[in-house]
């Protein structure tokens, strides 16, 4: 049944450490080790380690690489970095989507500028092939090449407030690496032949690309190394993180953490429908304070034409009970108004007097017992204001949930690195 | 993994007869492992009567919400109220701390239930 599935370099480690393995995309991946709940909590309060080698990495390079990405990617590379909308310069990365002509999301991704004429595009598991094909089709005579590096690279994410300290133990020059490294920036390179490779090295000299990013809402790093170094890096991180409670995490914790951080799962929360009216307007090249776009791009015309698009909204429940996201429907005032895209439980949050607190909230009331809250995304016909209560119904239960603009408060992703020492 | 003093249903509930016409009912070690972290257990009212195969509760894990079916006919004498605060008991020790309901057996045990060895073989065949 699983013979055709791929394994990451860490598959044997996962098996040897009790991981429950599931098929995900083309891969056999850990869904959890001993406890998805503890893994989720570890990332919010300490640190967790994720094997993300199943994600696909594309190299997009050539004189016209910028032009191709400016056409195919939903962020304006001239004005997408930080509050000031600065251009994407070397060492910066930016989150957005790749749309087709119908304005549907083919995938979401991070685009890194390595240097002029050289970009790295990180897409989802199994999407390397389709996205590379799409980019090559759109290149149409431009001087640009797209190469899928996925099978040559190992990727590990370390996420959570203790990840900064743990990472510092393993780097040759942590002070220099962490200096001027804001959220969504990167240093170093996994290719020893790159002039950037000297920027970030393990103590034994192994070069890596270290990106201050992740998909959990918590502070941390995405680490790219040559595939042969993957297990060594993982084991070094586990050893260095023992003191800080570093916990290996599977896909279940990754899913509940990203839901709590209001981040979409591609092909579930975004996908083959119009990429508009969702909680991620920052992923579009919108002019400040306006609905207008700041550049032309593939899918733009379809987005502008779409006047009857459904609304994707974020919701949070009152306790940890979920509904079956595949079959549940959304009801408002007794009328069916839509479907569920994601329904997960963020184990690190609870409600108290109408407010959501996290286990990491500095001002959480004394004695508040946090057991988790059901949360996720719904696709509905009507725009509902935050604070509106709707009902999610599946065959087993009906649960009231509230439309919200945020889920897990007091996330650490954007905090200054020095505050973690 | 599968204590010999229990009988098992093919859909992974156990019944542990206590020798006085009563029995404990819960889910097996295999079931709790497959579900992952149990975060919520919904149990019936004391006094409710069930036939073998009736749904008597639900177990919610991080992964899914699953129904629990009564492995043999009985009337609920007691529910494990500890599970309200500690649903993780189902993971930690499904046969002792993690039992779900205590029933008064109605008639003989369901003859379709498996003994530990047969259940282990059933689990092994399902895993492939």
């Amino acid at each position: 049944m699983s013979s055709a599935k791929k394994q990451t370099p860490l598959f044997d480690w996962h098996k040897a450490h009790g991981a429950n393995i599931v098929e995900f995309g083309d891969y056999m991946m850990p869904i959890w080790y001993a406890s998805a709940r503890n893994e989720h909590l570890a990332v919010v309060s300490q640190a967790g380690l994720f094997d993300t080698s199943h994600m696909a990495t594309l190299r997009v390079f050539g004189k016209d690489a910028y032009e191709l990405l400016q056409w195919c990617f939903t962020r304006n590379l001239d004005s997408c970095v930080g509050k000031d909308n600065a251009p994407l310069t070397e060492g910066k990365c930016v989150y957005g989507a790749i749309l087709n002509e119908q304005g549907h999301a083919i995938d979401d991704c991070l685009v890194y500028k390595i240097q002029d004429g050289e970009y790295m595009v990180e897409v989802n598991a199994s999407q390397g092939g389709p996205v590379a094909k799409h980019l090559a089709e759109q290149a149409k005579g431009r001087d640009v090449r797209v190469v899928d590096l996925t099978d040559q690279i190992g990727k590990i994410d370390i996420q959570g407030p203790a990840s900064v300290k743990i990472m510092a133990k393993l780097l040759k020059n942590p002070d220099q690496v962490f200096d001027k490294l804001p959220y969504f920036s990167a240093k170093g390179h996994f290719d020893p032949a790159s002039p950037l490779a000297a920027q970030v090295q393990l103590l034994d000299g192994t070069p890596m690309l270290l990106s201050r990013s992740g998909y959990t809402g918590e502070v941390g790093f995405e680490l790219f190394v040559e595939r042969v170094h993957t297990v060594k890096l993982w084991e070094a991180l586990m050893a260095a993180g023992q003191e800080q409670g570093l916990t290996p995490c599977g896909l279940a914790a990754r899913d509940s953490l990203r839901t709590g951080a209001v981040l979409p799962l591609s092909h579930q929360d975004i996908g083959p429908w119009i990429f508009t009216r969702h909680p991620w307007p920052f992923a579009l090249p919108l002019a400040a304070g306006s609905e207008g776009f700041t550049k032309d791009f593939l899918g733009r015309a379809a987005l502008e034409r779409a006047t009857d698009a459904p609304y994707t909204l974020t919701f949070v429940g009152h306790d940890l009970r979920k509904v079956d996201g595949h079959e549940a429907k959304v009801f408002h005032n007794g009328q069916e108004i839509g479907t569920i895209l994601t329904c997960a439980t963020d184990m690190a949050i609870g409600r108290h007097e109408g407010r959501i607190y996290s286990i990491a909230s500095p001002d959480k009331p004394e004695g508040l017992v946090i057991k988790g809250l059901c949360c996720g995304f719904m696709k509905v016909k009507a725009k509902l204001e935050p604070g509106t209560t709707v009902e999610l119904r599946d065959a087993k239960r009906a649960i009231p949930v509230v439309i919200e603009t945020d889920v897990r408060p007091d996330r650490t992703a954007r905090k200054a690195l020095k505050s973690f020492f | 993994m599968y204590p010999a003093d229990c009988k098992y249903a093919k859909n992974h509930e156990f019944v542990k007869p206590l020798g006085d016409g009563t029995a404990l009912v819960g889910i097996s070690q295999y079931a709790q492992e497959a579900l992952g972290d149990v975060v919520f257990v919904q149990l019936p009212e004391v006094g409710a009567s069930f036939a073998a195969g009736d749904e008597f509760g639900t177990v919610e894990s991080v992964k899914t919400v699953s129904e629990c079916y009564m492995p043999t006919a009985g009337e609920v004498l007691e529910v494990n109220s500890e599970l309200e605060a500690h649903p993780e008991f189902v993971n930690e020790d499904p046969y002792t701390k993690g039992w779900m309901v205590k029933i008064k057996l109605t008639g003989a045990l369901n003859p379709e239930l498996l003994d530990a060895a047969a259940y282990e073989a059933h689990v092994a065949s399902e895993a492939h």
Side-chain angles (χ1 to χ4, degrees):
Chain A
M1 137 188 118
S2 59
S3 56
K5 294 287 164 185
K6 291 168 82 168
Q7 298 176 359
T8 77
L10 287 159
F11 182 80
D12 291 340
W13 194 96
H14 301 319
K15 290 283 276 187
H17 291 79
N20 290 272
I21 303 284
V22 295
E23 292 179 15
F24 183 79
D26 294 335
Y27 287 83
M28 300 298 289
M29 296 297 292
I31 182 162
W32 61 71
Y33 299 83
S35 160
R37 180 176 178 275
N38 291 346
E39 292 162 25
H40 179 113
L41 296 176
V43 172
V44 177
S45 58
Q46 296 158 302
L49 202 58
F50 298 83
D51 176 8
T52 50
S53 301
H54 61 307
M55 293 182 70
T57 305
L58 303 178
R59 182 180 173 217
V60 179
F61 62 107
K63 190 169 64 64
D64 300 329
Y66 159 87
E67 211 181 283
L68 176 65
L69 291 171
Q70 196 66 326
W71 170 243
C72 291
F73 181 54
T74 58
R75 300 297 292 270
N76 189 336
L77 302 183
D78 294 334
S79 57
C80 61
V81 175
K83 288 192 200 89
D84 307 329
N85 288 317
L88 186 75
T89 49
E90 286 172 24
K92 302 288 184 200
C93 56
V94 61
Y95 171 82
I98 293 172
L99 308 183
N100 62 16
E101 199 173 353
Q102 291 75 45
H104 298 176
I106 296 173
D107 205 9
D108 60 351
C109 60
L110 274 189
V111 169
Y112 292 80
K113 181 164 183 179
I114 306 294
Q115 59 187 7
D116 281 340
E118 168 106 34
Y119 294 83
M120 191 172 94
V121 180
E122 185 69 11
V123 297
N124 285 283
S126 313
Q127 296 304 308
V131 173
K133 184 166 170 276
H134 169 77
L135 292 176
E137 280 165 8
Q138 293 298 323
K140 289 183 202 142
R142 290 185 179 99
D143 179 5
V144 55
R145 285 183 62 201
V146 181
V147 176
D148 188 348
L149 298 178
T150 309
D151 292 341
Q152 297 162 45
I153 289 178
K155 179 170 177 283
I156 294 169
D157 295 6
I158 181 168
Q159 301 275 293
S163 58
V164 189
K165 261 189 177 168
I166 296 167
M167 204 63 231
K169 290 188 205 173
L170 292 180
L171 295 174
K172 247 186 186 169
N173 49 352
D175 293 346
Q176 284 157 277
V177 173
F178 293 159
D179 184 42
K180 299 192 180 66
L181 188 71
Y183 194 32
F184 287 113
S185 61
K187 290 183 181 178
H189 204 284
F190 46 84
D191 180 356
S194 165
L196 300 172
Q199 282 184 350
V200 185
Q201 292 182 356
L202 291 176
L203 293 169
D204 71 358
T206 304
M208 69 166 87
L209 191 155
L210 176 147
S211 173
R212 188 185 161 188
S213 52
Y215 218 58
T216 62
E218 304 303 328
V219 68
F221 308 98
E222 298 185 77
L223 310 172
F224 300 79
V225 291
E226 287 188 304
R227 187 179 169 96
V228 62
H229 300 308
T230 317
V231 175
K232 176 182 77 176
L233 174 60
W234 179 277
E235 288 181 336
L237 285 161
M238 283 302 297
Q242 202 175 12
E243 216 182 305
Q244 276 88 8
L246 179 64
T247 304
C249 299
L251 293 174
R254 191 169 171 80
D255 190 54
S256 50
L257 285 158
R258 66 93 194 165
T259 304
V262 201
L263 297 168
L265 176 61
S266 188
H267 303 273
Q268 183 168 304
D269 301 314
I270 60 174
W273 63 88
I274 194 89
F275 188 71
T276 185
R277 294 183 174 170
H278 50 57
W280 311 289
F282 55 81
L284 287 165
L286 293 168
S290 121
E291 301 251 306
F293 295 122
T294 60
K295 69 165 186 179
D296 195 19
F297 60 99
L298 184 61
R300 171 179 167 158
L303 298 188
E304 287 171 338
R305 277 197 309 269
T307 51
D308 59 348
Y311 293 87
T312 300
L313 303 174
T314 307
F315 68 86
V316 182
H318 295 278
D319 60 37
L320 51 64
R321 285 175 304 157
K322 296 183 291 289
V323 291
D324 181 340
H326 297 296
E327 62 164 55
K329 300 279 190 280
V330 183
F331 288 80
H332 183 232
N333 295 333
Q335 299 286 312
E336 187 180 322
I337 59 163
T339 55
I340 303 296
L341 301 169
T342 284
C343 187
T345 300
D346 187 324
M347 295 294 169
I349 57 174
R351 282 187 188 271
H352 179 70
E353 293 179 357
R355 209 186 117 182
I356 302 170
Y357 291 90
S358 148
I359 55 168
S361 293
D363 59 346
K364 71 169 188 284
E366 213 173 305
L368 174 65
V369 178
I370 288 179
K371 290 181 156 186
L373 296 174
C374 147
C375 54
F377 306 108
M378 59 176 71
K379 191 163 75 170
V380 295
K381 285 186 269 191
K383 185 178 184 183
L384 302 171
E385 292 305 315
T388 307
T389 291
V390 296
E391 198 173 59
L392 312 185
R393 292 186 200 162
D394 67 9
K396 288 170 208 140
R397 55 174 68 143
I399 58 171
V401 300
V402 183
I403 305 300
E404 301 276 1
T405 52
D406 202 3
V407 181
R408 188 171 70 251
D410 303 303
R411 299 192 297 270
T412 54
R414 291 172 190 280
K415 283 178 76 177
L417 290 184
K418 57 179 182 289
S419 69
F420 296 100
F421 286 98
Chain B
M1 287 256 283
Y2 308 116
D5 59 354
C6 297
K7 297 276 191 188
Y8 302 84
K10 280 188 173 169
N11 42 25
H12 310 295
E13 290 81 12
F14 72 81
V15 54
K16 181 177 181 176
L18 300 176
D20 58 355
T22 70
L24 298 179
V25 172
I27 64 169
S28 74
Q29 176 73 14
Y30 173 83
Q32 73 79 13
E33 275 184 9
L35 285 169
D37 285 331
V38 172
V39 294
F40 185 81
V41 183
Q42 194 170 339
L43 296 174
E45 301 283 322
V46 169
S49 283
F50 296 94
D54 283 355
E55 182 181 331
F56 72 91
T58 56
V59 176
E60 175 150 359
S61 73
V62 292
K63 193 162 87 175
T64 185
V65 183
S66 301
E67 299 82 7
C68 302
Y69 300 100
M70 199 56 92
T72 192
E75 179 193 335
V76 176
L77 296 175
E78 197 182 335
V79 300
N80 186 355
S81 55
E82 289 280 305
L83 297 182
E84 200 179 320
H86 298 287
E88 71 275 11
F89 285 178
V90 175
N91 296 115
E92 290 170 8
D93 193 342
Y95 306 108
T96 53
K97 280 197 304 187
W99 63 273
M100 292 178 178
V101 295
K102 184 176 180 182
I103 57 169
K104 186 173 146 202
L105 295 167
T106 308
L109 274 185
N110 176 0
E112 289 175 15
L113 294 175
L114 307 174
D115 65 20
Y119 178 66
E120 196 167 351
H122 166 68
V123 165
S125 71
E126 270 208 348
H128 291 289

